[in-house]
Amino acid sequence: MPADRFDTVIAGGAVVSHRGVEVMDLGLRDGRIAALAGPGALKDAAPAQGVIDARGLHVLPGVIDSHVHFREPGGEATEDFGSGSLGALLGGVTAVFDMPNTAPAVLDRESLAAKLALVGRHAWTDYALYVGADGGNSHLLADLETAPGVCGTKVFMGSSTSSLVISDPGDLEGIFAAGARIVSLHAEDEARILARQHIAEAAGDVRVHGEWRDVESAVAATRLAIDTARRLGRRIHILHVSTAEEIALIAANRDIVTCEVLPQHLILAAPDCYEAHGTLVQQNPPIREARHRAALWAAVADGIVDVIGSDHGPHRLADKAGPYPNRHSGMPGTQTLLPILLDFVAQGRLSLLQVVDLVCAGPARVFGIAGKGRIAVGHDADFTLVDLGARRRIDNADIASRVGWTVWHGREVAGWPMATVIRGRLAMRDGEALGGPQGRPVRFHGALAPEATSGATSGAAA
């Protein structure tokens, strides 16, 4: 193919890149970005069927949801990688990172290879997997973290929808001493949770969820994680930060700690959220009072927050109903992640550049993703095309997740994902998935290339 010809041209969109926001054309070749040019400069440089008219739309780097639970293997009655990644795609997400608390859990080479082969058959987006730590596999982690398609190690310091709980500080030290890539943590203190469980059982009311799994349970675990990371020189990433006190700890240790917040912690506050939604908003760590929400927003404004993820944790409505605390914690969210953030832009709470940093550049920076997260020549041709002027009502009927519900049902939002392009291929347009599941493993700096994996895994991922 001549140097001035492209497989696809995205024409006339307002491109959000290192140059700012600028109307331009993008030339795509062999799944990567080959040229950035002025508007109209590339209109005749691709076959007619390869021109994507982006006039009136903003072109973002492909959105990365770095925190999902797609439940496969073992939980397919609730969700599988096909339904979960389809929802992500329809919501404008081009890559997802899936958690290891499946059945079986991802703890060794065999379970990792089996899961990669399984999910690669029906992934609509690109993907990476976390490996789990259970206190007995520390000797394997340095090898596992560099395997193709692995984004890092996940540690559950407090029990949630998982049997992978690290409550012994000695086990935590062993995990941090193994390997070099980032460790992501669910930071709640298991001993404190168990000691306070009587509060939830006596009340039988979800309104005490934040009293049971209280602020100190999160702060104690985050403090222990930071102290251990400091002593052992390991980078850590605190997931779903929910308290003002944790933000202060993280801000004082930015050289070794990055963090994530969730949309639900930026929108909801106790006790009103429990009055309105009951156990639908039961999650770990809990939705907390308004002072914590305000602190999270301040942390976003100050650049302390690196990533916003969905923590997509689907459960069937029947599993969310009934007596508390014997209900599942978690809520679906990958399909609504970007619409909620675009609505924050419309409200003036975020700028579009902040959104790009939090769900594109931020994940790439934190996890060392190769070739994604920004619009630059040589990077993967991943894009999310959005209409900032579109107004939509989020509806359960449109949710692709197998559970079929969202806590944002009925919420009006301004701004909507209109198309996704993954490695140069138009994968979604106007709410319709195109071309079938063709997701591949995400590549990482310092990790083996996906092509280096076994025949079964690489074939499934193609």
Side-chain angles (χ1 to χ4, degrees):
M1 178 179 290
D4 60 347
R5 299 294 295 173
F6 305 100
D7 304 321
T8 304
V9 167
I10 300 177
V15 175
V16 185
S17 73
H18 58 285
R19 294 160 56 155
V21 182
E22 182 180 354
V23 176
M24 64 173 71
D25 289 357
L26 301 172
L28 317 181
R29 186 187 302 121
D30 297 330
R32 300 196 178 183
I33 302 169
L36 287 71
L42 305 181
K43 65 179 181 179
D44 298 322
Q49 66 271 23
V51 177
I52 299 172
D53 185 357
R55 289 174 297 176
L57 303 178
H58 281 74
V59 181
L60 315 183
V63 169
I64 300 163
D65 187 351
S66 55
H67 189 167
V68 303
H69 297 263
F70 284 168
R71 308 297 188 207
E72 187 177 19
E76 291 87 347
T78 297
E79 188 82 287
D80 64 23
F81 222 87
S83 58
S85 63
L86 176 59
L89 179 74
L90 297 177
V93 173
T94 61
V96 296
F97 293 2
D98 190 51
M99 290 296 172
N101 55 325
T102 47
V106 180
L107 296 172
D108 52 31
R109 275 280 184 175
E110 292 72 25
S111 55
L112 172 63
K115 183 169 177 178
L116 281 168
L118 182 66
V119 305
R121 298 187 189 110
H122 54 183
W124 287 89
T125 64
D126 284 355
Y127 56 90
L129 304 182
Y130 287 90
V131 295
D134 68 352
N137 70 337
S138 297
H139 63 292
L140 301 175
L141 294 177
D143 176 57
L144 290 172
E145 70 175 14
T146 59
V150 171
C151 56
T153 299
K154 170 68 180 287
V155 172
F156 292 87
M157 298 178 72
S159 54
S160 189
T161 310
S162 172
S163 60
L164 300 178
V165 181
I166 301 298
S167 56
D168 185 330
D171 286 339
L172 190 67
E173 287 197 9
I175 293 162
F176 282 15
R181 292 182 66 195
I182 198 159
V183 178
S184 296
L185 298 113
H186 177 131
E188 290 185 286
D189 184 83
E190 179 69 1
R192 188 172 178 87
I193 290 170
L194 293 176
R196 295 173 64 84
Q197 188 168 346
H198 66 91
I199 295 171
E201 292 173 344
D205 189 328
V206 72
R207 287 175 292 186
V208 305
H209 196 54
E211 182 182 353
W212 167 28
R213 306 177 78 113
D214 66 346
V215 170
E216 181 55 28
S217 70
V219 175
T222 295
R223 184 183 297 113
L224 174 62
I226 290 173
D227 290 347
T228 307
R230 175 73 63 196
R231 190 165 62 255
L232 295 173
R234 192 71 184 265
R235 278 195 316 126
I236 60 173
H237 182 60
I238 308 296
L239 298 166
H240 41 47
V241 173
S242 64
T243 72
E245 288 81 356
E246 286 175 283
I247 289 296
L249 283 171
I250 291 164
N253 292 276
R254 292 293 287 160
D255 57 322
I256 59 168
V257 186
T258 54
C259 71
E260 168 203 76
V261 299
L262 309 180
Q264 48 267 45
H265 284 127
L266 294 172
I267 295 174
L268 302 172
D272 293 351
C273 66
Y274 299 113
E275 299 285 353
H277 302 290
T279 54
L280 289 184
V281 295
Q282 178 185 329
Q283 70 158 68
N284 304 323
I287 308 298
R288 304 196 188 277
E289 294 76 17
R291 77 173 181 92
H292 298 289
R293 180 177 61 187
L296 297 181
W297 272 113
V300 170
D302 291 343
I304 298 169
V305 174
D306 300 274
V307 172
I308 292 181
S310 73
D311 191 9
H312 176 81
H315 296 288
R316 293 170 292 188
L317 287 172
D319 294 326
K320 294 289 284 183
Y324 172 85
N326 300 317
R327 298 295 91 205
H328 290 290
S329 292
M331 61 186 81
T334 192
Q335 189 170 342
T336 55
L337 172 65
L338 183 58
I340 292 295
L341 296 183
L342 294 177
D343 195 50
F344 288 158
V345 173
Q347 296 172 28
R349 303 297 304 270
L350 291 177
S351 71
L352 194 59
L353 291 175
Q354 284 177 297
V355 170
V356 166
D357 189 59
L358 290 164
V359 294
C360 307
R365 183 173 61 246
V366 167
F367 292 95
I369 301 172
K372 295 186 186 292
R374 65 194 297 244
I375 295 176
V377 169
H379 272 53
D380 289 357
D382 293 355
F383 309 98
T384 304
L385 281 61
V386 303
D387 183 349
L388 297 183
R391 299 196 66 88
R392 297 286 192 278
R393 182 187 297 272
I394 297 173
D395 195 289
N396 286 343
D398 300 323
I399 297 299
S401 169
R402 193 164 285 180
V403 300
W405 67 274
T406 169
V407 74
W408 312 125
H409 172 70
R411 186 182 181 91
E412 295 268 3
V413 294
W416 199 257
M418 307 305 293
T420 55
V421 177
I422 302 178
R423 288 173 281 99
R425 178 181 65 84
L426 185 61
M428 184 277 287
R429 184 170 223 165
D430 298 330
E432 180 183 358
L434 306 172
Q438 298 182 45
R440 294 180 182 172
V442 173
R443 296 169 291 122
F444 295 90
H445 299 296
L448 297 175
E451 292 78 12
T453 190
S454 68
T457 302
S458 61

